[in-house]
Amino acid sequence: MFPKIGPPDGADTAWMLVAFALVLLMTPALGLFYGGMVRSKSVLNMMMMCLSAIPIVWIIWVVFGYSLAFGADEGGVIGNPFTFAGLRGLFGDYGPAGADTVHMPLVGDIPAVLFVAFQAGFAMVTVALIAGAVADRMRFVSWLIFAGLWATLVYIPVAHWVFSAPGVTSENGGWIVSHLKAIDFAGGTVVEINSGASALVIALLLGRRAGWPKDPMRPHNLPFVMLGAGLLWFGWFGFNAGSTLAANGSAALIAVNTLGAGAISMVAWLVVEKVRHGRPTSFGAASGVIAGLVAITPSCSAVTPIGALAVGAVAGAVSSYAIELKYRWRYDDSLDVVGVHFVSGVVGTLMIGLVASSSAPAGVDGLLYGGGFDQLWRQAVAVIVVCAYAAGVTAIIGLALKYTIGLRADRQHEMDGIDDGQHAETAYDFHSPRGGRVDLPG
């Protein structure tokens, strides 16, 4: 019977309440990270795009989204939308005066409704990630509609394929985790590849920013970028270690792997930057951290701490090169969602097939640990299928919006500042007061 009924474990529940809060923090943290990367006339719009993902996703998640992702499996493709519609059957029986009783629906050993909220945080930050590719030029109303459609038609089905493991919230699970048996512990395909492939498609449909790449479009606030990266790193411990759904040794190892991958990826990025451009930068440091965290997300349960260092080092170096491809191939991915999230997501997902160790919680050996090519091909199939599905459905959504309500903001709004054009606000008041008397001392 799903969900199972019983008393929640106090330690696991306490840890998951913290993990849920950490994951929820990641969406506004992403707003800071992205907000610092855009020009001063676009920062509010970017933060609004990120923050708006929270209410959009939560409303969908409560009404039918969670049930589609984690309801009774329908052929490995999607969950039944009526199983948990409106979160029915997940509240529990709290007894007189709100006291908990043993009649509590559980996922693992935590309250089912806490699992609902935890997984919603994943969906929120994944939707927000796409905003980085469309900075400076997308209509806000179009973004809101796109975000809702994308969460429903792209994120939720892929989440079911990968996260809905058999025996957790239903008897059977999604086809990638149940039948293909690819490993993606916390979202390399669901979060990173899914958002990265979609970001590329929607950026191409929107077209380049006015003046790009001829005009300089440097980050307007690097301290914002650094702070956002730090908060994302902090939240990522809840993202990865929280996916154990328990306060145990696996969560501890996963937290260590998350720390190591982010750390060495920052070093690798800065080394490449120093060799290629002569100077390591704060922007590169922040980007390197994120690349490593992205790559360890799918692999954190499958590798040892040494394996995590290998994953992070490769991701930092490869993504440092990859972000410059947009200038060669002339696609305007404004804030490098493709170069960092897509590329590092692919790196982390595929490297499971190379450096996974059976001594890690996932219990699988990769090619370099004597496991042959078995896990590698499974990982590759998951990458290809999720990439193709995300790109294809995003193209349909984007084209439908482009030829109905329109995707792109007015050109004059782009030139004058999309903050003012879309929100009638500006982030900074650069106008000094005029007139009036000034009394000087003496």
Side-chain angles (χ1 to χ4, degrees):
M1 177 181 177
F2 296 95
K4 70 178 184 179
I5 305 296
D9 181 273
D12 291 346
T13 300
W15 159 234
M16 289 307 299
L17 284 167
V18 173
F20 156 64
L22 290 172
V23 171
L24 189 61
L25 172 68
M26 293 177 72
T27 299
L30 182 69
L32 268 177
F33 181 69
Y34 277 171
M37 293 170 70
V38 297
R39 292 170 289 178
S40 60
K41 63 183 181 179
S42 304
V43 58
L44 290 179
N45 176 255
M46 178 48 58
M47 289 182 165
M48 283 282 286
M49 292 174 83
C50 290
L51 199 63
S52 65
I54 294 177
I56 290 170
V57 168
W58 183 247
I59 293 168
I60 291 170
W61 204 246
V62 169
V63 177
F64 61 84
Y66 176 78
S67 192
L68 279 174
F70 293 98
D73 175 67
E74 301 290 343
V77 177
I78 198 68
N80 188 314
F82 303 107
T83 305
F84 304 121
L87 305 188
R88 67 180 182 181
L90 300 177
F91 308 145
D93 178 4
Y94 293 91
D100 287 353
T101 73
V102 296
H103 303 293
M104 175 69 64
L106 303 177
V107 173
D109 290 316
I110 67 170
V113 73
L114 178 55
F115 178 75
V116 171
F118 178 70
Q119 283 293 331
F122 280 61
M124 292 165 186
V125 74
T126 306
V127 170
L129 282 171
I130 301 173
V134 300
D136 295 330
R137 62 199 190 278
M138 188 170 185
R139 292 181 63 211
F140 186 64
V141 171
S142 299
W143 162 256
L144 296 176
I145 297 171
F146 170 83
L149 291 172
W150 190 88
T152 302
L153 300 176
V154 181
Y155 179 84
I156 288 173
V158 178
H160 180 77
W161 301 349
V162 177
F163 285 160
S164 185
V168 176
T169 60
S170 66
E171 183 177 358
N172 300 308
W175 72 272
I176 287 181
V177 65
S178 300
H179 304 296
L180 181 62
K181 298 190 184 303
I183 296 171
D184 181 1
F185 188 71
T189 52
V190 183
V191 177
E192 311 298 350
I193 294 173
N194 213 6
S195 61
S198 300
L200 176 59
V201 169
I202 199 69
L204 291 172
L205 288 176
L206 272 169
R208 304 173 191 168
R209 286 167 290 177
W212 188 90
K214 180 180 178 182
D215 297 340
M217 297 183 182
R218 292 185 292 270
H220 92 282
N221 193 322
L222 287 171
F224 269 22
V225 176
M226 298 290 283
L227 177 60
L231 289 173
L232 282 167
W233 201 348
F234 181 58
W236 229 293
F237 291 107
F239 202 78
N240 287 353
S243 294
T244 60
L245 305 184
N248 57 22
S250 294
L253 176 63
I254 287 166
V256 168
N257 286 345
T258 301
L259 174 62
I264 199 168
S265 181
M266 172 180 164
V267 173
W269 189 297
L270 292 179
V271 168
V272 171
E273 202 170 47
K274 172 66 176 176
V275 170
R276 298 188 70 199
H277 305 298
R279 295 179 184 177
T281 66
S282 60
F283 190 40
S287 299
V289 167
I290 301 304
L293 295 171
V294 167
I296 201 62
T297 294
S299 56
C300 56
S301 71
V303 299
T304 65
I306 290 297
L309 293 181
V311 170
V314 173
V318 171
S319 287
S320 184
Y321 283 97
I323 61 168
E324 298 183 14
L325 292 176
K326 66 182 182 181
Y327 298 105
R328 181 182 303 175
W329 294 342
R330 313 290 285 184
Y331 65 89
D332 187 10
D333 170 23
S334 309
L335 307 184
D336 300 317
V337 183
V338 178
V340 175
H341 292 274
F342 178 77
V343 170
S344 292
V346 171
V347 167
T349 303
L350 292 180
M351 284 194 71
I352 294 171
L354 298 176
V355 299
S357 169
S358 58
S359 62
V364 172
D365 282 321
L367 178 64
L368 301 183
Y369 282 76
F373 289 95
D374 183 66
Q375 195 61 44
L376 184 58
W377 77 260
R378 298 176 192 277
Q379 301 301 122
V381 169
V383 167
I384 293 168
V385 171
V386 171
C387 180
Y389 178 80
V393 179
T394 301
I396 294 171
I397 296 170
L399 287 168
L401 292 176
K402 183 174 182 177
Y403 293 109
T404 53
I405 65 172
L407 285 174
R408 188 144 184 168
D410 184 87
R411 184 175 178 84
Q412 194 61 46
H413 290 174
E414 291 185 54
M415 302 302 293
D416 296 340
I418 201 165
D419 284 355
D420 184 52
Q422 293 291 302
H423 307 290
E425 297 175 304
T426 56
Y428 308 103
D429 185 0
F430 293 118
H431 300 287
S432 57
R434 296 181 180 181
R437 176 183 171 184
V438 177
D439 293 323
L440 299 176

